[in-house]
Amino acid sequence: MNDAAPAPNTPRRARVRAPELIGKGGWLNTGGKAYTLADLRGRIVILDFWTFCCVNCLHVLDELRELEERHRDTVVIIGVHSPKFVHEAEHQAVVDAVERYEVEHPVLDDPELATWKQYAVRAWPTLVVIDPEGYVVAQHAGEGHAHAIETLVAELEAEHGAKGTLRRGDGPYVPPEPVATDLRFPGKALRLPGGTFLASDTTRHQLVELAADGETVLRRIGGGERGLGPDAFSEPQGLALLPDGKVAVADTVNHAIRTFDPETGEIRTVAGTGKQWWQGSATTGPALDVDLSSPWDVAWWQDRLWIAMAGVHQLWTYDPATGTVEAVAGTTNEGLVDGPAAEAWFAQPSGLAAGGDRLWVADSETSAVRWLDTDLVVHTAVGTGLFDFGHRDGAADQALLQHPLGVTALPDGSVAVSDTYNHALRRYDPATGQVTTLATDLREPSDAVLVGGEGSGDPEIVVVESARHRLTRLRLPEEAVRVESVAHRTQRAATEVGPGKLRLDVVFQAPAGQKLDLRYGPSTRLLVSSTPPELLASGDGADTDLGRDLVLADGVTEGVLHVSAMAASCDDDPAIEYPACHVHQQDWGVPVRVVEGGTGRLALVLAGMDEGAAGQ
């Protein structure tokens, strides 16, 4: 162990030797080379624990792009892919995701969560900073930490530059060879009135109009580079035809709603500022003045454009008549809770379909199909929560999906479900309460468009096979495909806790140069609940302290603790007239098992290091 004193004017930090990087799936974006921490000695290493289903992880990928470019000669970012769903443990799925989301740094594929466990990670996403001597110096859960990490990187560069332990140079990233296809990871599709198709060519930041055959490219819309200008998109997803003939586009990474006029080719921004929404920001007002967060799909229903706001687990609306947006359903807490729209919980709603008096919702992270009625009450048709998924047909209350991204209303009142991670097209029929499988052997279907059946012939459906980079036409079968039922729970191990009192500590240390923002009262908030609710005898609810005692009820042996924490910090320099402030927020779903001898303390790191874990 190197106990050399820090350089002058640099803070002494807790130093924990970083565990080795282990992943059975091997390395991506390195030209086939495997790396150890010893190979990276002398560089500042940032481990990004992510999984590609997680919209918050995708936000962090975007947050890191600028830091990655600015410190390319001193910082090595390594994505540690740590799957939640079974499909995410497939190596080819990780390969696809790395290309889909333009990950331009090495990625360690860790399907068995070996490195996740070594670093005691409890949330997606989590960032761990390792100094040039191989010690962990910081950990951050959730989004919004780029500014704090930027400050820390500058300190580490100065400190280790003075000590002679910083090594500059090119990093280990080796880009993969590009592949030529007409579409690349298309997200959603729409049938235009003339019979052609419009698809969001997500990874290429374009829309593509295809002929009625779904294959022949007629034109491309957008220049193909990320941007918010009159000829640019950034990972567009959902599409919806508006009454005036224009197409609404969920421009996901631009955090905006755009319109495309098929007649003139004009692209306009109608909602969003281009900045991501954060807690405390406006949730209603003039559409161009309100921030949005990863809008994933759109649908015209009840005279408004509905938006699946995946980034904050809500449904919003845009009213073209008034030019305003409004958050309508969801609290921003992640989970599955039905009831009045303002009290309901969603988890990355990613697909919408208007079906008469119902707005269907593909609620991806809960592997659920849900709907909103005209009284603005949320209901669940299929799905039970964040950790149960699989491929099981039958009665809806027993059926299982796996991370569905799309829903399509069918003429008989039922709904087709693009069951993305099961590579299947499913159907839920409200009349019978049954779930069936319509087609299998689809590669990550993310949307479907109903065609045919107008006057003659059987109805057909065109499926967006995202990971096969194409639209696939299927005839809807009279009878469902029979598949072997399979049920899964997330691979993430449950935390063993002792019965009775459980101390919950959310660890937050304001980044260097900042302090808690106390100008308007407490700057921290902690919300705790559980599934099932009976798991907690006391300790649930909201408060301003980041620590509290929970009491686990007798007789309940397992469940999930839902913890949502927020802290606000501002620049701590009297010379700055208008200090910049930063909101740090994370939601955890922690599976727990109550056993004799289990831990009596649960520590969740929002930012900093858990000093209470020393010696454990």
Side-chain angles (χ1 to χ4, degrees), residues 228 249-258 269 271-274 292 295:
L228 191 56
V249 182
D251 198 3
T252 305
V253 177
N254 275 328
H255 309 294
I257 301 298
R258 320 288 295 282
T269 301
T273 64
L292 309 181

Side-chain angles (χ1 to χ4, degrees), residues 490-514:
T490 178
Q491 294 186 57
R492 181 179 171 189
T495 299
E496 294 189 343
V497 298
K501 188 173 80 171
L502 176 66
R503 178 65 186 178
L504 171 64
D505 288 320
V506 173
V507 177
F508 178 77
Q509 297 159 359
Q514 296 181 33

Side-chain angles (χ1 to χ4, degrees), residues 205-461:
H205 316 297
Q206 292 180 318
L207 309 181
V208 177
E209 185 176 3
L210 302 164
D213 61 9
E215 298 179 9
T216 305
V217 174
L218 300 179
R219 60 171 163 167
R220 295 184 178 275
I221 300 100
E225 299 292 333
R226 292 180 184 270
L228 191 56
D231 189 37
F233 297 98
S234 187
E235 296 185 31
Q237 288 280 349
L239 307 167
L241 193 64
L242 299 175
D244 63 4
K246 295 178 182 176
V247 175
V249 182
D251 198 3
T252 305
V253 177
N254 275 328
H255 309 294
I257 301 298
R258 320 288 295 282
T259 58
F260 163 63
D261 188 334
E263 295 297 323
T264 66
E266 182 186 25
I267 299 169
R268 292 182 57 226
T269 301
V270 297
T273 64
K275 298 178 181 178
Q276 185 182 342
W277 186 94
W278 287 100
Q279 287 288 350
S281 301
T283 57
T284 185
L288 292 171
D289 296 338
V290 178
D291 299 337
L292 309 181
S293 182
S294 296
W296 208 275
D297 202 6
V298 282
W300 186 259
W301 186 65
Q302 299 289 308
D303 298 321
R304 287 180 288 174
L305 184 73
W306 288 76
I307 306 166
M309 205 71 76
V312 285
H313 319 299
Q314 291 182 309
L315 304 182
W316 289 40
T317 60
Y318 164 65
D319 185 348
T322 61
T324 57
V325 291
E326 178 183 7
V328 176
T331 63
T332 76
N333 294 114
E334 185 177 16
L336 193 154
V337 176
D338 289 339
E343 301 171 13
W345 290 23
F346 293 92
Q348 283 179 223
S350 301
L352 297 176
D357 59 358
R358 296 185 180 191
L359 179 69
W360 294 103
V361 182
D363 202 31
S364 62
E365 277 295 289
T366 54
S367 298
V369 172
R370 307 175 72 186
W371 85 87
L372 185 71
D373 65 27
T374 54
D375 293 325
L376 300 185
V377 177
V378 177
H379 310 262
T380 296
V382 185
T384 59
L386 287 165
F387 299 104
D388 295 298
F389 53 90
H391 192 156
R392 178 193 289 154
D393 287 333
D397 60 353
Q398 300 293 320
L400 293 172
L401 309 168
Q402 187 179 181
H403 197 77
L405 290 178
V407 280
T408 306
L410 301 178
D412 63 358
S414 65
V415 60
V417 183
S418 296
D419 194 5
T420 309
Y421 288 1
N422 279 328
H423 310 299
L425 187 69
R426 313 283 293 282
R427 176 176 177 261
Y428 165 66
D429 185 354
T432 63
Q434 295 289 305
V435 174
T436 52
T437 298
L438 299 176
T440 56
D441 193 31
L442 301 167
R443 188 69 185 171
E444 292 193 18
S446 54
D447 195 19
V449 182
L450 184 70
V451 297
E454 296 103 346
S456 64
D458 295 329
E460 295 178 327
I461 199 161

